[in-house]
Amino acid sequence: MKTDNPAMLFLVINIFKDIIWVGYWLINLETSQTNFLFLIGIFLVTSFALYFKVIRFLNRS
């Protein structure tokens, strides 16, 4: 990713993936609130961990 700000490019590309992922699960998930909160929690934790590591790596290069 040879751009001026590769971290922002990474965020822009992945935000669309995240929106599609959340939309899919909102449509197909059962109406159980426990399942919904558990799934959203996992999504948020893994997304933030991934974004943090990748953005730090891209900004160093």
Side-chain angles (χ1 to χ4, degrees), residues 18 41-55:
D18 294 343
I42 289 174
F43 172 73
L44 290 174
V45 169
T46 56
S47 291
F48 285 128
L50 173 70
Y51 288 161
F52 182 74
K53 282 192 102 40
V54 170
I55 290 170

Side-chain angles (χ1 to χ4, degrees), residues 4-61:
D4 292 335
N5 196 347
M8 287 305 292
L9 178 62
F10 173 77
L11 282 175
V12 168
I13 292 170
N14 277 293
I15 195 71
F16 292 113
K17 172 198 58 90
D18 294 343
I19 291 170
I20 291 168
W21 189 88
V22 168
Y24 171 79
W25 283 108
L26 285 175
I27 291 169
N28 293 322
L29 191 63
E30 296 176 12
T31 57
S32 168
Q33 184 179 6
T34 304
N35 288 343
F36 176 75
L37 294 176
F38 179 70
L39 192 61
I40 294 299
I42 289 174
F43 172 73
L44 290 174
V45 169
T46 56
S47 291
F48 285 128
L50 173 70
Y51 288 161
F52 182 74
K53 282 192 102 40
V54 170
I55 290 170
R56 284 186 52 198
F57 174 75
L58 289 174
N59 283 334
R60 277 192 235 151
S61 8

